[in-house]
Amino acid sequence: MSDTHSESVAYVRESFIEEQPAPITAAGPFKWVKDNLFPTWLNGLLTIVALYIIYQLLAGFLPWFLGGVWTTGSLAECREVLQGEVGACFSVLTDRWHQLLFGFTYPSEFYWRPTLAFVLLFVALAPVLFFDLPRKMLIFTGLYPFIAFWLIWGGTIFAPLSALLGFVVGYLVYEKFVKSSFAAGFFGGIVAAIVIWTVGGWLIPENASENAMLTAVPSRDLGGFMLNMMLGITCVSLSLPLGIALALGRQSHLPLVKWICVVFIEFVRGVPLITLLFVANVMLAYFFPPGSGVDLFLRVVIMITMFASAYIAEVIRGGLAALPKGQYEAGDSLGLDYPQAMRLIILPQALKISIPGIVNVAVGLFKDTTLVSIISMFDLVGMIRGPILASTDWNGVYWELFLFASALFFVVCYGISQYSQWLERRLETDHR
Amino acid sequence: MAEQTQMKVSDEVAIEITNMNKWFGAFHVLRDIDLTVYQGERIVICGPSGSGKSTLIRCINALEEHQQGTITVDGTLLGSDLKNIDKIRSEVGMCFQHFNLFPHLTILENCTLAPIWVRKTPKKEAEETAMHFLEKVKIPDQADKYPGQLSGGQQQRVAIARSLCMRPRIMLFDEPTSALDPEMIKEVLDTMIELAEEGMTMLCVTHEMGFARQVANRVIFMDQGQIVEQNEPEAFFNTPQNDRTKLFLSQILGH
């Protein structure tokens, strides 16, 4: 065979070369250390300097942390036990943990209620976060806000029930009318829900909460990390749908819808959150009918939700803009109408692109819930700065308390971040 | 119009465009387009880039809006009324140069999406139809993969199958092979030829002149937003009349 080719072609390969193992110098731990830590003398020097700095930090931190005192009743006792040695006074955590978690006025015999709500939260979130789980679990997710409300605030069960009934009736009306026109279904549903809520408000007697199964706890008694969690979860889950609506509204061809969304987004983004919170604290009361006494918690939720939804809207707008025009055209050419094209084609892709941005906003929002301490709500930071540091026993214990607060927030935020990375990998279907 | 009478394959009019004009801002892209397409006709539209051929077929399913004249598809007048647009779009299938498959859905889901949501076909039936058409374009074994895992040629065949699942009466092709590697063009063209042989009404913007000779019963040449010449393929390629057509054909067939 080669004979015939050698006359006409200069070079012909007759067999392919087999794959061979890499030489030993190209792999192994020694190789890794040399390549990554000491490749040149300058990099080696930097490695040594970095190791020295890490050593110094740990040498300062570890004795303080490991030598900590956990069992005393006040800072003065702590100092006695330590006798001038380096050591943290973690006793403040063992002494005041319940205040840090639940606030200082939440009745201690009811701590099980928010704790149960917290445990159920995972059951409710699971089918939303992990879509391999059975879809029937979403029924519980739908009920969870009402269950959690009842557990934490207590009082008559008819309040959350009538709220739930309003949503159910609103949805049924929407289902009935949406076939004739989307607008009829949408506004019909809203009107029906409002009617149910108003009627429910009339029917429930003023004193219904007095002998309820769960004793009522007023909003001003909520506090600690529980308050941060409640604000964070409520506001993130409300601001995501609102942000999607705003982003789509901003793209709308209807000028009025478009301008309302643009003005809302630009206004809210141009104002510091803290001013919105002051508005919630002082001024928002003027907008509600006198005597309706809309709860401070609800007012703060409205403001933080508005704030976050404006940011989420802009993140999602970026995702929408990143989609090729062909996706819209393909949906159009198949005869899908606008809601179908958005729900089935555009939003799944745009939201996937927006995940890092949305998580960024969610994490930022969760940490910003500590700002409510400025308007005298006793969240985790409010508890530390107020009742605990002001007490004679623990005046002066800064590091231990803020380390604890940081650890709590870090666990939640790192969890969110890890979940979002898992979700991005999971949704990776373009295989580029 | 004596020629056109000979070319038609049936008396039933599929698309009727009269005196249609379109502007992009101040730019006059389509000028006085008159075109009648009969049921079962296979029309190839060619012309230099920027001549408005893609815009013309995109007007037929209202991806582009026209400003003057009328377009009637299957007896439905295409106006600004959204109801007619959706009706026409579900009767007219379209294949794009860049396939425009939905990357977040599997091949099968790409094919069943529109039948389930637009036609309200039960899921099982839609899947059977989808598998039928995927077999027809010879890639049933890829049904559970995502578009990103397929070659360009395979993606375009999926795009054709996706359109066919809506059982359209008319198919529009907008340069379906222009974004493909040479070795993949044939598999797409074979699929289109098969479709033509079954009597589908087709309007195809393409530079594949071999395809035009083989399956078209009319070739339309456009330049500067106008239909310059139209004829049967044999006559169009062998004895072009207009100077622009001659120049274009010499450039495209010259090498």
Side-chain angles (χ1 to χ4, degrees):
Chain A
M1 185 177 166
S2 59
D3 300 58
T4 46
H5 276 290
S6 60
E7 290 158 17
S8 54
V9 200
Y11 178 82
V12 174
R13 178 172 293 290
E14 288 179 345
S15 63
F16 281 92
I17 300 169
E18 290 296 314
E19 206 173 301
Q20 286 167 5
I24 295 156
T25 49
F30 176 77
K31 160 91 177 148
W32 184 89
V33 168
K34 187 178 171 299
D35 276 4
N36 293 288
L37 300 182
F38 303 97
T40 67
W41 66 269
L42 179 65
N43 288 11
L45 193 67
L46 288 175
T47 301
I48 290 167
V49 171
L51 285 175
Y52 178 72
I53 292 173
I54 293 170
Y55 165 77
Q56 281 294 322
L57 287 175
L58 289 181
F61 177 74
L62 283 182
W64 177 81
F65 185 77
L66 297 175
V69 180
W70 292 85
T71 49
T72 58
S74 73
L75 183 59
E77 286 176 37
C78 253
R79 293 200 171 121
E80 262 173 49
V81 173
L82 287 169
Q83 299 198 329
E85 298 225 356
V86 178
C89 185
F90 291 119
S91 323
V92 66
L93 303 181
T94 46
D95 190 43
R96 297 293 181 98
W97 64 272
H98 52 283
Q99 292 189 351
L100 290 168
L101 292 184
F102 299 106
F104 70 121
T105 43
Y106 200 91
S108 56
E109 66 270 30
F110 298 144
Y111 282 164
W112 65 271
R113 279 158 44 178
T115 312
L116 179 61
F118 179 70
V119 172
L120 290 179
L121 173 70
F122 290 96
V123 184
L125 277 182
V128 180
L129 299 184
F130 304 98
F131 20 78
D132 292 334
L133 293 171
R135 295 290 83 189
K136 286 224 169 93
M137 285 177 74
L138 282 172
I139 297 173
F140 180 75
T141 310
L143 294 177
Y144 178 76
F146 307 99
I147 297 173
F149 173 84
W150 189 52
L151 280 173
I152 292 172
W153 273 275
T156 170
I157 196 167
F158 294 107
L161 274 187
S162 84
L164 177 61
L165 188 67
F167 279 107
V168 171
V169 170
Y171 178 74
L172 291 178
V173 170
Y174 167 82
E175 274 289 283
K176 186 153 169 55
F177 286 104
V178 76
K179 291 201 181 79
S180 56
S181 130
F182 179 75
F186 184 73
F187 290 111
I190 289 180
V191 169
I194 289 175
V195 167
I196 294 284
W197 290 329
T198 319
V199 172
W202 283 336
L203 289 183
I204 299 171
E206 286 286 325
N207 59 356
S209 292
E210 275 168 16
N211 289 314
M213 207 188 316
L214 295 181
T215 312
V217 177
S219 286
R220 63 173 179 276
D221 286 353
L222 304 177
F225 193 60
M226 173 179 77
L227 186 60
N228 295 109
M229 287 291 284
M230 285 163 62
L231 284 172
I233 289 162
T234 317
C235 296
V236 168
S237 42
L238 290 179
S239 62
L240 194 58
L242 192 59
I244 293 173
L246 283 170
L248 293 179
R250 196 173 181 160
Q251 278 202 329
S252 170
H253 296 299
L254 307 172
L256 195 62
V257 173
K258 181 178 173 159
W259 283 109
I260 289 174
C261 293
V262 169
V263 168
F264 178 88
I265 292 171
E266 295 301 333
F267 173 75
V268 172
R269 283 203 313 160
V271 176
L273 177 57
I274 198 78
T275 56
L276 289 179
L277 289 177
F278 276 119
V279 169
N281 192 16
V282 186
M283 286 180 48
L284 210 58
Y286 295 122
F287 291 96
F288 291 108
S292 67
V294 174
D295 204 87
L296 178 61
F297 179 82
L298 182 60
R299 284 181 270 158
V300 167
V301 163
I302 290 174
M303 283 307 180
I304 300 183
T305 303
M306 272 172 55
F307 189 77
S309 63
Y311 279 87
I312 288 184
E314 287 298 276
V315 169
I316 293 174
R317 189 165 71 103
L320 289 170
L323 282 194
K325 200 164 158 250
Q327 292 293 312
Y328 293 85
E329 289 181 348
D332 282 347
S333 76
L334 286 169
L336 297 170
D337 59 21
Y338 177 82
Q340 288 172 341
M342 285 298 140
R343 189 158 60 88
L344 301 168
I345 298 167
I346 305 302
L347 281 178
Q349 297 184 62
L351 289 179
K352 191 184 108 187
I353 302 173
S354 315
I355 290 172
I358 292 174
V359 168
N360 204 14
V361 173
V363 165
L365 164 74
F366 179 57
K367 292 183 296 182
D368 281 352
T369 57
T370 53
L371 284 175
V372 299
S373 63
I374 304 284
I375 56 166
S376 59
M377 288 174 89
F378 291 102
D379 75 315
L380 181 55
V381 171
M383 279 308 300
I384 294 174
R385 291 184 344 131
I388 295 182
L389 281 179
S391 68
T392 44
D393 283 348
W394 300 110
N395 193 346
V397 190
Y398 290 96
W399 287 94
E400 293 81 353
L401 287 168
F402 284 108
L403 184 73
F404 178 68
S406 311
L408 282 183
F409 276 99
F410 177 78
V411 167
V412 176
C413 295
Y414 187 71
I416 297 174
S417 155
Q418 286 300 304
Y419 169 73
S420 86
Q421 284 175 31
W422 173 85
L423 184 64
E424 274 178 70
R425 281 196 302 275
R426 171 67 211 266
L427 294 176
E428 187 65 56
T429 56
D430 33 356
H431 305 280
R432 288 213 186 100
Chain B
M1 286 290 129
E3 296 171 334
Q4 208 168 322
T5 338
Q6 291 174 355
M7 285 187 283
K8 68 179 176 184
V9 287
S10 84
D11 288 332
E12 207 184 327
V13 176
I15 303 171
E16 174 118 53
I17 302 176
T18 50
N19 206 13
M20 194 257 280
N21 280 279
K22 172 166 179 61
W23 288 264
F24 281 133
F27 177 56
H28 200 169
V29 242
L30 292 176
R31 310 180 191 182
D32 287 343
I33 302 286
D34 283 298
L35 180 66
T36 307
V37 181
Y38 294 92
Q39 202 58 255
E41 256 198 306
R42 281 96 60 190
I43 295 181
V44 163
I45 305 170
C46 58
S49 119
S51 59
K53 46 197 191 313
S54 286
T55 313
L56 171 62
I57 69 164
R58 286 160 60 86
C59 279
I60 293 173
N61 68 351
L63 286 182
E64 302 282 358
E65 208 179 327
H66 60 282
Q67 278 90 34
Q68 264 180 22
T70 59
I71 301 177
T72 312
V73 180
D74 243 359
T76 312
L77 183 70
L78 181 56
S80 51
D81 185 353
L82 274 171
K83 261 216 157 77
N84 280 357
I85 289 183
D86 281 341
K87 181 162 184 287
I88 287 174
R89 279 173 179 166
S90 59
E91 299 297 329
V92 179
M94 175 133 189
C95 281
F96 298 88
Q97 182 177 357
H98 296 289
F99 334 131
N100 296 354
L101 295 177
F102 306 129
H104 62 301
L105 301 176
T106 63
I107 300 306
L108 189 65
E109 287 165 346
N110 263 279
C111 293
T112 55
L113 184 84
I116 289 175
W117 290 95
V118 180
R119 292 251 193 269
K120 315 288 180 206
T121 316
K123 185 163 183 252
K124 196 157 175 289
E125 196 185 319
E127 280 176 355
E128 279 164 15
T129 314
M131 287 312 290
H132 167 74
F133 284 112
L134 285 174
E135 263 160 43
K136 205 168 147 137
V137 300
K138 303 189 179 63
I139 33 178
D141 45 328
Q142 314 278 10
D144 292 325
K145 289 192 181 171
Y146 286 95
Q149 293 165 295
L150 268 54
S151 73
Q154 290 173 323
Q155 290 193 44
Q156 190 62 291
R157 284 185 282 150
V158 172
I160 294 174
R162 178 176 72 175
S163 299
L164 292 178
C165 285
M166 288 292 281
R167 309 229 180 238
R169 289 163 59 83
I170 300 161
M171 282 289 291
L172 308 174
F173 293 87
D174 187 0
E175 306 206 26
T177 56
S178 301
L180 297 177
D181 290 339
E183 51 188 341
M184 293 170 186
I185 290 179
K186 189 176 175 296
E187 61 188 53
V188 172
L189 289 181
D190 284 345
T191 310
M192 290 167 63
I193 291 169
E194 201 179 311
L195 202 56
E197 282 164 358
E198 287 169 15
M200 174 69 79
T201 311
M202 292 166 66
L203 270 84
C204 185
V205 173
T206 183
H207 295 127
E208 297 297 330
M209 291 304 138
F211 172 77
R213 273 180 198 272
Q214 192 180 341
V215 305
N217 36 19
R218 184 158 31 137
V219 181
I220 292 177
F221 176 71
M222 287 183 70
D223 191 24
Q224 295 179 356
Q226 305 163 58
I227 295 180
V228 174
E229 185 163 349
Q230 49 177 316
N231 213 332
E232 287 173 46
E234 207 56 28
F236 179 86
F237 289 112
N238 297 338
T239 55
Q241 304 296 312
N242 188 295
D243 288 343
R244 275 297 290 135
T245 319
K246 287 178 194 165
L247 179 66
F248 177 77
L249 286 177
S250 74
Q251 280 166 341
I252 202 166
L253 302 172
H255 52 86

